[in-house]
Structures are given as structure tokens and as C-alpha cells.
Amino acid sequence: MGAFTFVSRSSRLMYRIGMGRTAASVRLSSSAAMGQRLLGSATATTTNSHNLRSNGLNSHLLQGSRGVSESLRCGESLVQTRMMSNSGAFSTEYTGDAFAADLEKQEEKRPFSNVAVNCDFLPNTIDEEHFANGMNTAIQRWKNTGFDAAWMLVPVEKAWVASMCASSGFQMHHCEDNTIHMMLWMDPNRDCAVPHFNTHQVGVGGLVLRDDLHLLAIKEKNAITKGYKLPGGRVDPGEDLSEAVVREVFEETGIQTRFHSVLGLRHINSFFNKNVSDIYTICRLVPETFDIEKCDVELSEAVWLHFDDYIDNTFPANANLFKELREHFFAADGQHNSIHLPCDMTEHIYSSPYSNSTKMHYYY
């Protein structure tokens, strides 16, 4: 018996069984792991000297509770394969009509005339023609229903589905949490209105100002700019601005604070990553503790600095902002933490019209 040869093309595997001048080619649509298990089973079968005939090969491969039966005919290379896996039985009977019916069962309506299907339900393999037929049926139904965009959420372990989706016109929108998000825009009369993924990142900086007009200032070990800056960082997914700035200030300086208001925004394009913009929100915080415990990993310095000294020792754009804010804080005569100043945009929280489980935060 000749050696087995595996050639991987995307997620489709080919292996050849050779015996003298006779060879049978078996095409399997499966995961790479299944291919390796088949190879091991087939090798064991060869060792047990199964009867292989040149004009009609019949082999039965068994492995524990997972069975694989194959009917092989050389010459015309007619191959019929049936697989039994942990996900249940699958065979060529999984037709395009069955696939289209499953898509309808699994679909989820989303805001702005979007529809999404999580592809966890799919078997480990499906014939390309059946997939295309079922997908075309589903796409036509979604168009008739009035959906503008369709999404196929493909688990990374079934990445071959993304390739089949691409053949049906889908494009990869983004990858997140081991899931490939494939998107199809279906309105032929309008340009695609689905925004690009991760075009902006959101950061926060905290102006923590004591009653004596000393503010909390830091210097980073790997600073890009010279001089002092405000403590802060990126907003985590699902985190509100007010939560993020309080957390970031505490992580960097050990100072506990409470959120007061928003003072302004800064926007910059191509920040660290090309085509990704950065929106930085400057928030005013009221200190509740005063003893600094600097984060030694990130910071070289964390101090209480007088307002005017901060203006003189920060980068120019920052200095211009604080010159504008100075008159408001100095006019408050030490009461700035207990009142709202003309420069403050206070937080107002409302129920979201888009989802009952989320809130909308306005600042004005």
C-alpha cells in the first residue's frame, strides 16, 4: 500500500490511497482535524489488510463512536461519503432547500433593516451548490421582506463558510470574538450605508481639581508629547464615559473621584492606526481622596500641580484649552466643585429608543 498524501486547499482536503498501479481519490469536505482522524483510521484499516479491489474499493472505517463509511469506485472516481460526527448525522441529503429553511429559522432582525444569522447550526460540511442555492433563496426572501443588509456570523472553526458566503456576494466586514462577520448590502438603488468597523476609538481624560486650584497631572514613561498631561485612557467596550474616566484616574494615580461634567472634546485622525480616528473627551472630576499612589508601570510622575503651573508645563494645544477654562475656575472662588460653571456640560441619562436594555447619555 502506498503512502497517504494530504493536500489542504482552504478547508477542503484531498487524500490519495495508492496500491501498486491502482489509486483512489477521495474528496472530503471536512475540518482539518477530521482529515487527520480519517488518515489515522485509514492507515489502521490498511494494516488490517482489508480487501481492496482495483475496479471497486469498499472500505469501512470505524473510530470509537464516530463512524465513517465510504464507497469508492476507481476508474470514474465515483465517491459517495457519509459522515457521522458529534454534531449529528450529515450527508448529501442536506439540500439547498433545507439550508434555506434553516436560515429562516435562525435569522435575527436587527435595527436599521438588518438581518443576521449565526452559523453555529451548520454541519461541518455542505455541498457548494446546495449552499449557493439555499443562500440565493434566503437573499431573495430578505429582499422581499425589506431588509437592506444581511449578516452571516461565522465561527472561526467553520471559516470555510465565509468563503462560500463570499461566493454569494458577501464581504468580510470585521472579525470579533473568534467570529467572522460577513455582510451583504442588498439595496441596489443605494450605496452601502453600513459604516466601516472600528473607524473611531474613544478616550477620556480627567481634570481632577482641588478647591485650592491644584490639579492632578501625570507624565508617562513612554510619552509621545513633552510636559504634563491629564490622567486617562481608553473607554472599554460597554463602559460609559463617566465610568471610564473615574476608573482610569484611579488606576493611574490611586485617587478616588466622582464624575462632575464634560468640558470638551478633541478629535484626531489616523491616531496610531491608519484610518482610525480618536475622540478624546475631557471630563471634570471631584476628588474624594488626595494621597497619590502612582502606577509605576505606566507613569514616571504623578503630582498635584497648580493650575497656572500646568498651563506653563503642558504641550501648546493643551495649554490653549486650559487658558480658556482658567477664568471660569478662578471666578468660582474655590466653589467650583460644588457648582456648575458655564464651561460644564452635565450628564443627562435617558432611555434608548433603539433598545430597552441600554441608556443614552447626553452632555449639555
Side-chain angles (χ1 to χ4, degrees), residues 95-96 99 122 126-136 152 160-161 164-165 168:
T95 64
F99 177 43
L122 280 174
I126 178 174
D127 179 79
E128 289 186 14
E129 184 177 353
H130 291 330
F131 185 98
N133 291 339
M135 182 58 71
N136 289 338
M152 295 289 283
W160 56 270
V161 176
M164 289 191 175
C165 288
S168 295

Side-chain angles (χ1 to χ4, degrees), residues 201-204 232-236 239 244 247-248 271-273 278:
Q201 63 185 24
V202 180
V204 286
R234 293 185 184 181
V235 179
D236 288 338
E239 194 175 33
R247 173 186 56 77
E248 282 287 349
F271 187 71
F272 289 118
N273 297 312
D278 180 76

Side-chain angles (χ1 to χ4, degrees), residues 29-76:
S29 298
S30 180
S31 64
M34 174 66 82
Q36 294 294 343
R37 287 194 289 270
L38 287 172
L39 176 58
S41 298
T43 304
T45 304
T46 302
T47 304
N48 292 329
S49 300
H50 275 77
N51 182 24
L52 303 177
R53 295 193 299 270
S54 60
N55 291 323
L57 282 76
N58 293 302
S59 64
H60 299 280
L61 311 178
L62 296 177
Q63 185 180 18
S65 60
R66 181 182 288 110
V68 181
S69 66
E70 301 175 345
S71 297
L72 311 177
R73 182 187 299 274
C74 294
E76 297 296 328

Side-chain angles (χ1 to χ4, degrees), residues 6-161:
F6 269 76
V7 179
S8 175
R9 183 175 299 166
S10 183
S11 60
R12 297 183 174 277
L13 303 173
M14 300 285 294
Y15 73 83
R16 182 170 295 276
I17 308 173
M19 185 183 68
R21 296 183 179 178
T22 302
S25 295
V26 182
R27 189 166 188 245
L28 300 176
S29 298
S30 180
S31 64
M34 174 66 82
Q36 294 294 343
R37 287 194 289 270
L38 287 172
L39 176 58
S41 298
T43 304
T45 304
T46 302
T47 304
N48 292 329
S49 300
H50 275 77
N51 182 24
L52 303 177
R53 295 193 299 270
S54 60
N55 291 323
L57 282 76
N58 293 302
S59 64
H60 299 280
L61 311 178
L62 296 177
Q63 185 180 18
S65 60
R66 181 182 288 110
V68 181
S69 66
E70 301 175 345
S71 297
L72 311 177
R73 182 187 299 274
C74 294
E76 297 296 328
S77 296
L78 177 63
V79 180
Q80 293 180 331
T81 305
R82 176 180 293 272
M83 300 178 185
M84 183 76 73
S85 67
N86 288 333
S87 60
F90 170 71
S91 71
T92 54
E93 283 87 17
Y94 191 74
T95 64
D97 290 340
F99 177 43
D102 284 343
L103 287 174
E104 185 173 6
K105 293 176 184 176
Q106 298 293 330
E107 69 184 36
E108 173 191 350
K109 295 180 180 178
R110 292 192 170 183
F112 305 107
S113 299
N114 282 225
V115 61
V117 176
N118 192 313
C119 296
D120 279 333
F121 74 93
L122 280 174
N124 287 333
T125 179
I126 178 174
D127 179 79
E128 289 186 14
E129 184 177 353
H130 291 330
F131 185 98
N133 291 339
M135 182 58 71
N136 289 338
T137 300
I139 290 172
Q140 189 58 53
R141 179 172 52 79
W142 291 332
K143 288 180 178 179
N144 294 338
T145 305
F147 289 114
D148 292 332
W151 298 80
M152 295 289 283
L153 312 184
V154 182
V156 68
E157 61 269 18
K158 294 181 179 178
W160 56 270
V161 176

